[in-house]
Amino acid sequence: MLAAEALAAGLDTPALCELAGLPRNADTRDIRDAFEQALSEAGIELPDPGLARRHALRRLAARLLHGEIAPADLASDDWWETEAETAEERSFVSLLPAVRVPRVHQVRAGA
């Protein structure tokens, strides 16, 4: 979706076109490769992972405010682990549920 938005905004590179055409269930390595190539073709440096995660967090907050996602969608990732730098980021992160996968206990069949 972001790739299509970038194309609509006038940013046009071969890799961006490829990225926009990838299906949602495409291999994550293919998506990452196309994304990095699109950035390179556009002359944009890939941000460090911490900064990229903070930008994603801010986009997530904006999508929540605009009703594009439900509050339950916030529990789909480890956002609560994000190293927030501003008061606004810390406030938002503090509202996110800390989702942990519960341990599965093996059930023994009775004899």
Side-chain angles (χ1 to χ4, degrees):
M1 183 171 187
L2 285 176
E5 291 174 10
L7 287 169
L11 185 62
D12 189 7
T13 71
L16 190 58
C17 292
E18 177 188 345
L19 185 61
L22 288 176
R24 287 187 178 265
N25 63 345
D27 186 280
T28 55
R29 290 171 296 218
D30 293 339
I31 294 170
R32 178 145 181 104
D33 290 346
F35 176 71
E36 288 179 358
Q37 182 62 35
L39 290 178
S40 176
E41 290 173 0
I44 301 171
E45 287 186 40
L46 188 65
D48 72 80
L51 181 59
R53 189 143 173 98
R54 288 181 55 230
H55 282 293
L57 181 70
R58 287 175 170 259
R59 182 163 170 77
L60 183 71
R63 291 180 66 209
L64 179 66
L65 288 174
H66 291 111
E68 297 172 14
I69 60 172
D73 296 328
L74 300 175
S76 65
D77 203 352
D78 296 332
W79 292 108
W80 54 274
E81 290 183 335
T82 302
E83 293 185 30
E85 292 188 11
T86 67
E88 293 85 2
E89 290 172 350
R90 284 189 292 276
S91 294
F92 184 67
V93 169
S94 71
L95 297 173
L96 302 178
V99 178
R100 292 181 178 83
V101 178
R103 291 182 124 178
V104 177
H105 298 284
Q106 240 181 345
V107 177
R108 293 184 181 173

